[in-house]
């Protein structure tokens, strides 16, 4: 029905858009989007986006988040999967399981999580040619 060029333009338009959950808003459920999200309110459930998630200082997410990039100033509890860069500001509080490619933590942030880094792992070989422990 739609030509490829129309589909491409629609995706480019979506990427420039941003969604916001305000301070006085509380949501329970599942959110799926291709656009960026800023959460200053409370979200109980899951968010999945190909864009960026920003959890503002008053923002609280309990559940699962899957995104490309994330900046956290508020509170997160649950499972967090960031395919690129996770940045924790000094006011951030993270609890749960975190999977990232890159991680940046400012002094003062609370990071009580199991963290798995998915890229940048190299296998070291000992002088005898045997495999040693992995390192990041």
């Amino acid at each position: 029905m739609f030509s490829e060029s129309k589909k491409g333009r629609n995706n480019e338009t979506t990427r420039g858009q941003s969604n916001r959950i305000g301070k006085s808003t509380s949501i329970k459920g599942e959110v799926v989007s291709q656009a960026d999200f800023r959460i200053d309110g409370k979200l109980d459930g899951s968010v999945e986006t190909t864009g960026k998630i920003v959890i503002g200082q008053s923002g609280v997410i309990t559940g699962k988040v899957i995104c490309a990039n994330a900046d956290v100033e508020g509170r997160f509890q649950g499972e967090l999967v960031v395919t690129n860069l996770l940045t924790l500001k000094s006011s951030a509080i993270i609890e749960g399981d975190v999977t990232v490619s890159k991680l940046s933590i400012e002094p003062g942030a609370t990071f009580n999580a199991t963290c798995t880094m998915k890229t940048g792992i190299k296998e070291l070989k000992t002088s005898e040619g045997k495999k040693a422990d992995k390192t990041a």
Side-chain angles (χ1 to χ4, degrees):
M1 256 175 128
F2 296 107
S3 70
E4 288 299 315
S5 62
K6 286 184 181 177
K7 283 182 182 178
R9 261 187 265 142
N10 190 19
N11 287 340
E12 288 171 13
T13 304
T14 303
R15 287 194 181 138
Q17 295 177 351
S18 183
N19 298 292
R20 186 173 192 144
I21 297 174
K23 224 179 196 181
S24 60
T25 304
S26 180
I27 293 178
K28 289 185 182 184
E30 180 179 313
V31 177
V32 178
S33 177
Q34 290 183 345
D36 296 344
F37 260 91
R38 179 171 178 94
I39 295 146
D40 290 309
K42 184 175 180 183
L43 176 73
D44 256 335
S46 66
V47 179
E48 184 172 348
T49 181
T50 55
K52 181 178 186 175
I53 297 277
V54 176
I55 303 174
Q57 232 173 352
S58 61
V60 177
I61 296 181
T62 304
K64 183 174 184 175
V65 170
I66 301 172
C67 61
N69 295 294
D71 287 349
V72 181
E73 295 178 63
R75 183 180 188 99
F76 177 85
Q77 184 174 5
E79 183 180 355
L80 179 59
V81 179
V82 181
T83 57
N84 194 15
L85 174 63
L86 169 61
T87 302
L88 303 181
K89 305 296 184 183
S90 61
S91 58
I93 300 171
I94 303 290
E95 297 174 342
D97 296 317
V98 176
T99 303
V100 297
S101 178
K102 299 173 193 165
L103 178 62
S104 171
I105 303 176
E106 288 183 0
T110 302
F111 189 70
N112 292 323
T114 349
C115 185
T116 304
M117 296 193 79
K118 288 294 186 180
T119 59
I121 302 214
K122 299 176 186 175
E123 287 191 19
L124 298 178
K125 292 188 178 181
T126 62
S127 58
E128 293 105 32
K130 296 178 184 176
K131 290 182 181 178
D133 293 331
K134 293 180 181 181
T135 185

